[in-house]
Coordinates of all heavy atoms in Angstrom, one line a residue:
Y949 N -137.2 -86.0 28.5 CA -137.2 -86.6 27.2 C -136.7 -88.1 27.3 O -137.3 -89.0 26.7 CB -136.4 -85.8 26.2 CG -136.3 -86.4 24.9 CD1 -137.5 -86.5 24.1 CD2 -135.1 -86.8 24.4 CE1 -137.4 -87.1 22.8 CE2 -135.0 -87.4 23.1 CZ -136.1 -87.5 22.3 OH -136.1 -88.1 21.1
H950 N -135.6 -88.3 28.0 CA -134.9 -89.6 28.0 C -135.4 -90.5 29.1 O -135.1 -91.6 29.2 CB -133.4 -89.5 27.9 CG -132.9 -88.8 26.7 ND1 -132.9 -89.4 25.5 CD2 -132.4 -87.6 26.5 CE1 -132.4 -88.7 24.5 NE2 -132.1 -87.5 25.1
G951 N -136.1 -89.9 30.1 CA -136.7 -90.7 31.2 C -135.7 -91.1 32.2 O -136.0 -92.1 32.9
I952 N -134.6 -90.5 32.3 CA -133.6 -90.8 33.4 C -134.1 -90.1 34.7 O -134.3 -88.9 34.7 CB -132.2 -90.4 33.0 CG1 -131.8 -91.1 31.6 CG2 -131.2 -90.7 34.1 CD1 -130.5 -90.6 31.1
S953 N -134.2 -90.9 35.7 CA -134.7 -90.3 37.0 C -133.6 -89.4 37.6 O -132.4 -89.5 37.4 CB -135.0 -91.4 38.0 OG -133.9 -92.0 38.5
K954 N -134.1 -88.4 38.4 CA -133.2 -87.5 39.1 C -132.4 -88.3 40.1 O -131.2 -87.9 40.3 CB -134.1 -86.4 39.8 CG -134.8 -85.5 38.9 CD -135.6 -84.4 39.6 CE -136.9 -85.0 40.1 NZ -137.7 -84.0 40.8
L955 N -133.0 -89.3 40.7 CA -132.2 -90.1 41.7 C -131.0 -90.8 41.0 O -129.9 -90.9 41.5 CB -133.1 -91.1 42.3 CG -132.5 -92.0 43.4 CD1 -131.9 -91.2 44.5 CD2 -133.5 -93.1 43.9
T956 N -131.3 -91.3 39.8 CA -130.2 -92.0 39.0 C -129.1 -91.0 38.7 O -127.9 -91.3 38.9 CB -130.8 -92.6 37.7 OG1 -131.8 -93.6 38.0 CG2 -129.7 -93.2 36.9
I957 N -129.4 -89.8 38.2 CA -128.4 -88.8 37.9 C -127.7 -88.4 39.1 O -126.4 -88.3 39.1 CB -129.1 -87.6 37.2 CG1 -129.7 -88.0 35.9 CG2 -128.0 -86.5 37.1 CD1 -130.5 -86.9 35.3
A958 N -128.4 -88.3 40.3 CA -127.7 -87.9 41.5 C -126.7 -89.0 42.0 O -125.6 -88.7 42.4 CB -128.8 -87.7 42.6
K959 N -127.2 -90.3 41.9 CA -126.3 -91.4 42.3 C -125.0 -91.4 41.3 O -123.9 -91.7 41.8 CB -127.0 -92.7 42.3 CG -128.0 -92.8 43.5 CD -128.6 -94.2 43.5 CE -129.4 -94.3 44.8 NZ -130.0 -95.7 44.9
M960 N -125.3 -91.3 40.0 CA -124.1 -91.3 39.1 C -123.2 -90.2 39.4 O -122.0 -90.4 39.2 CB -124.7 -91.2 37.7 CG -125.4 -92.5 37.2 SD -126.2 -92.3 35.6 CE -124.7 -92.1 34.5
A961 N -123.7 -89.0 39.8 CA -122.8 -87.9 40.0 C -122.2 -87.9 41.4 O -121.3 -87.1 41.7 CB -123.6 -86.6 39.8
G962 N -122.8 -88.7 42.3 CA -122.3 -88.7 43.7 C -122.8 -87.5 44.5 O -122.1 -87.0 45.3
V963 N -124.0 -87.1 44.2 CA -124.6 -85.9 44.9 C -126.0 -86.3 45.4 O -126.4 -87.4 45.2 CB -124.7 -84.7 44.0 CG1 -123.3 -84.3 43.5 CG2 -125.6 -84.9 42.8
E964 N -126.6 -85.4 46.1 CA -128.0 -85.6 46.6 C -129.0 -85.3 45.6 O -128.8 -84.4 44.7 CB -128.2 -84.8 47.9 CG -127.3 -85.1 49.0 CD -127.4 -86.5 49.5 OE1 -128.6 -87.0 49.7 OE2 -126.4 -87.1 49.9
E965 N -130.2 -86.0 45.6 CA -131.3 -85.7 44.7 C -131.7 -84.2 44.8 O -132.2 -83.6 43.8 CB -132.4 -86.7 44.9 CG -133.5 -86.6 43.8 CD -134.5 -87.7 44.0 OE1 -134.5 -88.5 44.9 OE2 -135.4 -87.7 43.1
Q966 N -131.7 -83.7 46.0 CA -132.1 -82.3 46.2 C -131.2 -81.3 45.4 O -131.7 -80.3 45.0 CB -132.0 -81.9 47.7 CG -133.0 -82.6 48.6 CD -132.5 -84.0 49.0 OE1 -131.4 -84.5 48.6 NE2 -133.3 -84.7 49.8
D967 N -129.9 -81.7 45.2 CA -129.1 -80.9 44.4 C -129.6 -80.8 42.9 O -129.6 -79.7 42.3 CB -127.6 -81.4 44.4 CG -127.0 -81.3 45.8 OD1 -127.2 -80.3 46.5 OD2 -126.3 -82.3 46.1
I968 N -130.1 -81.9 42.4 CA -130.6 -82.0 41.1 C -131.9 -81.1 41.1 O -132.1 -80.3 40.1 CB -131.0 -83.4 40.7 CG1 -129.8 -84.4 40.8 CG2 -131.6 -83.5 39.3 CD1 -128.6 -84.0 39.8
D969 N -132.8 -81.3 42.1 CA -134.0 -80.4 42.2 C -133.7 -79.0 42.2 O -134.3 -78.2 41.5 CB -134.8 -80.8 43.4 CG -135.5 -82.1 43.3 OD1 -135.8 -82.6 42.2 OD2 -135.6 -82.8 44.4
R970 N -132.6 -78.6 42.9 CA -132.3 -77.1 42.9 C -131.8 -76.6 41.6 O -132.1 -75.5 41.2 CB -131.2 -76.9 44.0 CG -131.7 -77.1 45.4 CD -130.8 -76.7 46.5 NE -129.5 -76.4 46.3 CZ -128.4 -77.0 47.0 NH1 -128.7 -77.8 47.9 NH2 -127.2 -76.6 46.7
L971 N -131.1 -77.5 40.8 CA -130.7 -77.0 39.5 C -131.8 -77.0 38.5 O -131.8 -76.3 37.5 CB -129.6 -78.0 39.0 CG -128.2 -77.6 39.4 CD1 -127.2 -78.7 39.0 CD2 -127.7 -76.2 38.9
L972 N -132.8 -77.9 38.7 CA -134.0 -77.9 37.8 C -135.0 -76.8 38.2 O -136.0 -76.6 37.4 CB -134.7 -79.3 37.9 CG -134.0 -80.4 37.2 CD1 -134.6 -81.8 37.5 CD2 -133.9 -80.2 35.7
A973 N -134.9 -76.1 39.3 CA -135.8 -75.1 39.6 C -135.7 -74.0 38.6 O -134.7 -73.8 37.9 CB -135.4 -74.5 41.0
N974 N -136.7 -73.2 38.5 CA -136.7 -72.1 37.5 C -136.9 -70.8 38.2 O -138.0 -70.4 38.7 CB -137.9 -72.3 36.5 CG -137.8 -71.4 35.3 OD1 -136.8 -70.7 35.1 ND2 -138.9 -71.3 34.5
P975 N -135.8 -69.9 38.3 CA -134.5 -70.1 37.7 C -133.7 -71.1 38.7 O -134.1 -71.3 39.8 CB -133.9 -68.7 37.8 CG -134.6 -68.1 38.9 CD -136.0 -68.6 38.9
P976 N -132.6 -71.7 38.1 CA -131.9 -72.6 38.9 C -131.4 -72.0 40.2 O -131.0 -70.8 40.2 CB -130.7 -73.0 38.1 CG -131.1 -72.6 36.7 CD -132.1 -71.5 36.8
E977 N -131.5 -72.7 41.3 CA -131.1 -72.2 42.6 C -129.6 -72.4 42.8 O -129.0 -73.2 42.0 CB -131.8 -72.9 43.8 CG -133.3 -72.7 43.7 CD -134.1 -73.5 44.7 OE1 -133.4 -74.2 45.6 OE2 -135.3 -73.6 44.6
K978 N -129.0 -71.7 43.7 CA -127.5 -71.8 43.9 C -127.1 -73.2 44.4 O -127.8 -73.8 45.3 CB -127.0 -70.8 44.9 CG -127.2 -69.3 44.4 CD -126.2 -69.1 43.3 CE -126.4 -67.7 42.7 NZ -125.7 -67.5 41.5
V979 N -126.1 -73.8 43.8 CA -125.6 -75.1 44.2 C -124.1 -74.9 44.3 O -123.4 -74.1 43.5 CB -125.9 -76.1 43.1 CG1 -125.3 -77.5 43.4 CG2 -127.4 -76.3 42.9
E980 N -123.5 -75.6 45.3 CA -122.0 -75.5 45.5 C -121.3 -75.8 44.2 O -121.7 -76.7 43.5 CB -121.5 -76.4 46.6 CG -122.1 -76.1 48.0 CD -123.6 -76.6 48.1 OE1 -124.0 -77.6 47.5 OE2 -124.3 -75.9 48.9
I981 N -120.2 -75.2 44.0 CA -119.4 -75.4 42.7 C -119.0 -76.8 42.5 O -119.0 -77.3 41.4 CB -118.3 -74.4 42.6 CG1 -117.6 -74.4 41.2 CG2 -117.2 -74.7 43.6 CD1 -118.5 -73.7 40.2
E982 N -118.6 -77.5 43.6 CA -118.1 -78.9 43.5 C -119.2 -79.8 43.1 O -119.1 -80.7 42.3 CB -117.5 -79.4 44.8 CG -116.2 -78.6 45.3 CD -116.5 -77.3 46.0 OE1 -117.7 -77.1 46.4 OE2 -115.6 -76.6 46.2
V983 N -120.4 -79.5 43.7 CA -121.6 -80.3 43.4 C -122.0 -80.1 41.9 O -122.3 -81.0 41.1 CB -122.8 -80.0 44.3 CG1 -124.1 -80.7 43.9 CG2 -122.4 -80.4 45.7
K984 N -122.0 -78.8 41.5 CA -122.3 -78.5 40.1 C -121.4 -79.1 39.1 O -121.8 -79.6 38.1 CB -122.3 -76.9 40.0 CG -123.0 -76.4 38.8 CD -122.9 -74.9 38.7 CE -123.3 -74.2 39.9 NZ -123.2 -72.7 39.8
Y985 N -120.1 -79.2 39.5 CA -119.1 -79.8 38.6 C -119.4 -81.3 38.4 O -119.4 -81.8 37.3 CB -117.7 -79.6 39.1 CG -116.6 -80.3 38.3 CD1 -116.2 -79.8 37.1 CD2 -116.1 -81.5 38.8 CE1 -115.3 -80.4 36.4 CE2 -115.2 -82.2 38.0 CZ -114.7 -81.6 36.8 OH -113.8 -82.3 36.1
K986 N -119.7 -82.0 39.5 CA -120.0 -83.4 39.5 C -121.2 -83.7 38.6 O -121.2 -84.6 37.8 CB -120.2 -84.0 40.9 CG -119.0 -84.0 41.7 CD -119.4 -84.6 43.1 CE -118.1 -84.7 44.0 NZ -118.5 -85.2 45.3
I987 N -122.2 -82.8 38.8 CA -123.5 -83.0 38.0 C -123.2 -82.7 36.5 O -123.6 -83.4 35.6 CB -124.6 -82.1 38.5 CG1 -125.0 -82.5 39.9 CG2 -125.8 -82.1 37.6 CD1 -125.9 -81.6 40.6
D988 N -122.5 -81.6 36.3 CA -122.1 -81.2 34.9 C -121.4 -82.3 34.1 O -121.8 -82.7 33.0 CB -121.3 -79.9 34.9 CG -121.2 -79.3 33.6 OD1 -122.1 -79.5 32.7 OD2 -120.2 -78.5 33.3
V989 N -120.4 -82.9 34.8 CA -119.6 -84.0 34.1 C -120.5 -85.2 33.8 O -120.5 -85.7 32.7 CB -118.4 -84.4 35.0 CG1 -117.8 -85.7 34.5 CG2 -117.4 -83.3 35.1
T990 N -121.4 -85.5 34.8 CA -122.3 -86.7 34.6 C -123.3 -86.4 33.5 O -123.5 -87.2 32.6 CB -123.0 -87.0 35.9 OG1 -122.0 -87.2 36.9 CG2 -123.9 -88.2 35.8
V991 N -123.9 -85.2 33.5 CA -124.9 -84.8 32.5 C -124.3 -84.8 31.1 O -124.8 -85.3 30.1 CB -125.6 -83.5 32.9 CG1 -126.3 -82.9 31.7 CG2 -126.5 -83.7 34.1
M992 N -123.1 -84.1 31.0 CA -122.5 -84.0 29.6 C -122.1 -85.4 29.1 O -122.2 -85.7 27.9 CB -121.3 -83.1 29.7 CG -121.6 -81.7 29.9 SD -122.8 -81.1 28.7 CE -123.9 -80.1 29.8
E993 N -121.6 -86.3 30.0 CA -121.3 -87.6 29.6 C -122.6 -88.4 29.1 O -122.6 -89.0 28.1 CB -120.7 -88.4 30.7 CG -120.2 -89.8 30.4 CD -119.6 -90.5 31.6 OE1 -118.6 -89.9 32.1 OE2 -120.0 -91.6 31.9
G994 N -123.7 -88.2 29.9 CA -125.0 -88.8 29.5 C -125.5 -88.3 28.2 O -125.9 -89.0 27.3
V995 N -125.4 -87.0 28.0 CA -125.9 -86.4 26.7 C -125.0 -86.8 25.6 O -125.5 -87.2 24.5 CB -125.9 -84.8 26.8 CG1 -126.1 -84.2 25.4 CG2 -126.9 -84.3 27.8
S996 N -123.7 -86.9 25.8 CA -122.8 -87.3 24.7 C -123.1 -88.8 24.3 O -123.1 -89.1 23.1 CB -121.3 -87.2 25.2 OG -121.0 -85.9 25.4
Q997 N -123.3 -89.6 25.3 CA -123.5 -91.0 25.0 C -124.9 -91.2 24.3 O -125.0 -92.0 23.4 CB -123.5 -91.9 26.3 CG -122.2 -92.1 26.9 CD -122.2 -92.8 28.2 OE1 -123.2 -93.3 28.7 NE2 -121.0 -93.0 28.8
T998 N -125.9 -90.4 24.7 CA -127.2 -90.5 24.1 C -127.1 -90.0 22.6 O -127.6 -90.7 21.7 CB -128.2 -89.6 24.8 OG1 -128.3 -90.0 26.2 CG2 -129.6 -89.6 24.2
I999 N -126.4 -88.9 22.4 CA -126.2 -88.5 21.0 C -125.4 -89.5 20.2 O -125.8 -89.8 19.0 CB -125.5 -87.1 21.0 CG1 -126.5 -86.0 21.6 CG2 -125.1 -86.7 19.6 CD1 -125.8 -84.7 21.8
L1000 N -124.4 -90.0 20.8 CA -123.6 -91.0 20.1 C -124.4 -92.2 19.7 O -124.3 -92.7 18.6 CB -122.4 -91.4 20.9 CG -121.4 -92.5 20.3 CD1 -120.8 -92.0 19.0 CD2 -120.4 -92.9 21.3
K1001 N -125.2 -92.7 20.6 CA -126.1 -93.9 20.3 C -127.0 -93.6 19.2 O -127.3 -94.4 18.3 CB -126.9 -94.2 21.6 CG -126.1 -94.9 22.6 CD -127.0 -95.2 23.9 CE -126.1 -95.8 25.0 NZ -126.9 -95.9 26.2
K1002 N -127.6 -92.3 19.2 CA -128.5 -92.0 18.1 C -127.8 -91.9 16.8 O -128.3 -92.4 15.7 CB -129.2 -90.7 18.4 CG -130.3 -90.8 19.5 CD -131.1 -89.6 19.7 CE -132.1 -89.8 20.8 NZ -133.1 -88.8 20.9
V1003 N -126.6 -91.3 16.7 CA -125.8 -91.3 15.5 C -125.5 -92.7 15.0 O -125.7 -93.0 13.8 CB -124.5 -90.4 15.7 CG1 -123.6 -90.6 14.6 CG2 -124.9 -89.0 16.0
I1004 N -125.1 -93.5 15.9 CA -124.8 -94.9 15.5 C -126.0 -95.6 15.0 O -126.0 -96.3 13.9 CB -124.2 -95.7 16.7 CG1 -122.8 -95.2 17.0 CG2 -124.2 -97.2 16.4 CD1 -122.2 -95.7 18.3
L1005 N -127.2 -95.4 15.6 CA -128.4 -96.0 15.1 C -128.8 -95.5 13.7 O -129.2 -96.3 12.8 CB -129.6 -95.8 16.1 CG -129.6 -96.6 17.4 CD1 -130.7 -96.1 18.3 CD2 -129.7 -98.0 17.1
V1006 N -128.6 -94.2 13.5 CA -128.9 -93.7 12.2 C -127.9 -94.3 11.1 O -128.3 -94.7 10.0 CB -128.8 -92.1 12.2 CG1 -128.8 -91.6 10.8 CG2 -129.9 -91.5 13.0
L1007 N -126.6 -94.4 11.5 CA -125.7 -94.9 10.6 C -126.0 -96.4 10.3 O -125.8 -96.8 9.1 CB -124.2 -94.8 11.1 CG -123.7 -93.4 11.2 CD1 -122.4 -93.3 11.9 CD2 -123.6 -92.8 9.8
L1008 N -126.4 -97.1 11.3 CA -126.8 -98.5 11.1 C -128.0 -98.7 10.1 O -128.0 -99.5 9.2 CB -127.1 -99.2 12.4 CG -125.9 -99.6 13.2 CD1 -126.4 -100.1 14.6 CD2 -125.1 -100.7 12.5
K1009 N -129.0 -97.8 10.3 CA -130.1 -97.8 9.4 C -129.7 -97.5 8.0 O -130.2 -98.1 7.0 CB -131.2 -96.8 9.9 CG -131.9 -97.2 11.1 CD -133.0 -96.2 11.5 CE -133.7 -96.6 12.8 NZ -134.6 -95.6 13.3

Side-chain angles (χ1 to χ4, degrees):
Y949 177 67
H950 296 291
I952 301 172
S953 74
K954 294 183 282 186
L955 181 60
T956 298
I957 295 169
K959 285 186 177 185
M960 289 173 67
V963 299
E964 299 296 320
E965 189 174 1
Q966 293 83 357
D967 295 321
I968 304 296
D969 287 330
R970 291 192 343 234
L971 277 172
L972 285 172
N974 190 11
E977 297 172 9
K978 293 292 178 193
V979 176
E980 298 77 30
I981 190 73
E982 296 84 11
V983 171
K984 199 182 305 179
Y985 175 77
K986 289 179 181 180
I987 294 170
D988 194 24
V989 168
T990 302
V991 166
M992 292 306 138
E993 184 178 306
V995 168
S996 298
Q997 287 179 2
T998 301
I999 291 170
L1000 179 61
K1001 286 178 187 174
K1002 288 187 177 192
V1003 168
I1004 289 171
L1005 286 174
V1006 168
L1007 291 174
L1008 283 172
K1009 286 180 183 177

